[in-house]
Amino acid sequence: MSSSFSIVAAIILVTICVLGNSNAQLSSTFYATTCPNVTSVVCGVVEQAQQNDIRIGAKLIQVHFHDCFVNGCDGSIMLDNADGIESEKDAVPNQSTDGYDVVDDIKTALENVCPGVVSCADILAIASQILVSANGGPTWEVQLGRRDSRTANRTGTTAIPGPSENLEQITKKFSDVGLDSTDLVALSGAHTFGRARCPTFVHRLYNFSGTGNPDPTIDTTYLETLRQICPNGGNGGTLADLDQSTRDEFDNNYFTNLQNKRGLLQTDQELFSTSGDTVAIVNRFANSQSDFFDSFGQSMINMGNIRPLTGSDGEIRSDCKRVN
């Protein structure tokens, strides 16, 4: 990441932390009396975290996404193994997730200021919005008031969209939780920052669908670049940029990449290279960053509304890793 972008990102993050989310009426309504400084507390922790790890925004938004697709946005993904609890973290779709230590730091900071008030599920939603905005992306009204589950659902992690699934499969998984094609394309746009490990896309590079040939929807120059990063049978821990043009900035270049056959994951490129209603949405977002930003914010709200626990359901965990 360039030093100039680092400075700009730091300035934006400080601005968010001082001013809060100008659209955050739902947020301020829910915690206005019980934890009025929730945004600034979360900001303070994630500002430090981003200085140590530029990828923390991509990491936490992935955790939020994976959490919401299993039993709704209830913080169940953060629970460790315990009596009667098989952690969702150990399931294959979640073995790539990271950033839980930062969630723990946020929780500790919040418990010091307003103990027993802010849920772990809400922490993910708040931190995702702050970090997207800090990296150049949009802001949106984060709806708050979720409570934390007392159980996990490891077998339910099959509902999480996987990187080697086709468009029909991922469209169904989004539809199953009440999200449409616009939500699918907009939320996929979170791959404008972050990285992916070779095993999530290497099947496209050498022997796609058992053909003995690469995925024909990959640009040939990009294919050679990826083969250098991920040689056949090479190190599975190697990382590649999800957006090779602006790797750490939240922008609409992800969609231009798809138009140029430079989507990293199969699920990315299929949005443009497979006929369907997603193609026009990709083109729309590639042509207008503001259109993408507006849709992304609304789709994050839509995703955050998947089956939350509210009222007296669930609990407010004092430690995100275990039930009270």
Side-chain angles (χ1 to χ4, degrees):
M1 183 180 67
S2 68
S3 58
S4 60
F5 181 70
S6 300
I7 294 167
V8 171
I11 292 170
I12 293 171
L13 191 47
V14 169
T15 304
I16 296 166
C17 292
V18 172
L19 299 179
N21 179 351
S22 60
N23 296 322
Q25 261 160 344
L26 294 174
S27 171
S28 58
T29 298
F30 194 82
Y31 290 121
T33 56
T34 53
C35 195
N37 297 325
V38 58
T39 300
S40 60
V41 172
V42 177
C43 270
V45 177
V46 299
E47 179 180 9
Q48 182 62 47
Q50 180 151 282
Q51 289 175 9
N52 298 329
D53 180 6
I54 190 59
R55 295 166 52 210
I56 192 59
K59 289 176 178 179
L60 291 187
I61 205 168
Q62 182 189 26
V63 174
H64 184 32
F65 179 91
H66 284 212
D67 181 44
C68 290
F69 269 72
V70 182
N71 285 21
C73 310
D74 62 357
S76 61
I77 192 173
M78 291 175 272
L79 289 171
D80 284 346
N81 287 311
D83 286 344
I85 292 176
E86 289 191 336
S87 178
E88 294 171 17
K89 294 178 189 174
D90 296 334
V92 171
N94 289 331
Q95 288 172 1
S96 63
T97 59
D98 199 2
Y100 297 103
D101 54 333
V102 175
V103 177
D104 291 337
D105 291 344
I106 296 170
K107 185 60 177 173
T108 298
L110 286 170
E111 289 297 302
N112 287 336
V113 183
C114 31
V117 173
V118 182
S119 69
C120 301
D122 274 351
I123 286 173
L124 290 178
I126 298 167
S128 294
Q129 190 277 315
I130 291 170
L131 287 164
V132 165
S133 298
N135 286 282
T139 187
W140 62 89
E141 282 190 346
V142 184
Q143 299 188 43
L144 300 169
R146 301 169 192 82
R147 290 168 65 83
D148 298 318
S149 70
R150 295 188 177 96
T151 58
N153 182 7
R154 186 186 297 177
T155 57
T157 57
T158 54
I160 298 169
S164 60
E165 292 181 322
N166 62 37
L167 182 60
E168 182 181 359
Q169 290 169 317
I170 57 173
T171 299
K172 182 178 188 307
K173 287 187 174 182
F174 271 72
S175 176
D176 286 345
V177 293
L179 300 177
D180 64 16
S181 295
T182 300
D183 297 317
L184 165 58
V185 179
L187 293 172
S188 295
H191 288 170
T192 181
F193 63 176
R195 319 280 186 268
R197 297 187 190 279
C198 291
T200 61
F201 61 87
V202 73
H203 68 283
R204 303 183 67 207
L205 309 183
Y206 301 98
N207 183 24
F208 183 63
S209 298
T211 60
N213 296 308
D215 184 340
T217 66
I218 303 181
D219 170 76
T220 52
T221 305
Y222 186 45
L223 173 65
E224 290 312 310
T225 300
L226 293 178
R227 282 178 163 178
Q228 289 175 16
I229 297 170
C230 302
N232 205 2
N235 180 0
T238 305
L239 294 168
D241 297 326
L242 284 161
D243 174 356
Q244 70 279 2
S245 54
T246 49
R247 64 193 305 220
D248 295 315
E249 297 178 45
F250 200 99
D251 54 30
N252 69 331
N253 284 350
Y254 165 85
F255 300 103
T256 308
N257 293 339
L258 300 188
Q259 292 176 323
N260 294 326
K261 300 172 73 172
R262 287 173 170 259
L264 182 65
L265 305 180
Q266 179 180 342
T267 46
D268 293 326
Q269 193 58 50
E270 291 230 3
L271 298 175
F272 184 75
S273 296
T274 301
S275 353
D277 59 355
T278 58
V279 177
I281 304 169
V282 169
N283 288 333
R284 184 156 55 89
F285 293 164
N287 292 335
S288 171
Q289 181 162 281
S290 61
D291 195 349
F292 165 49
F293 279 9
D294 288 346
S295 295
F296 184 81
Q298 184 57 54
S299 291
M300 285 295 291
I301 292 171
N302 296 344
M303 184 184 79
N305 282 337
I306 299 173
R307 294 173 57 193
L309 298 174
T310 57
S312 59
D313 292 336
E315 64 182 15
I316 304 297
R317 281 186 223 136
S318 57
D319 179 344
C320 292
K321 299 185 298 294
R322 53 186 61 90
V323 297
N324 293 342

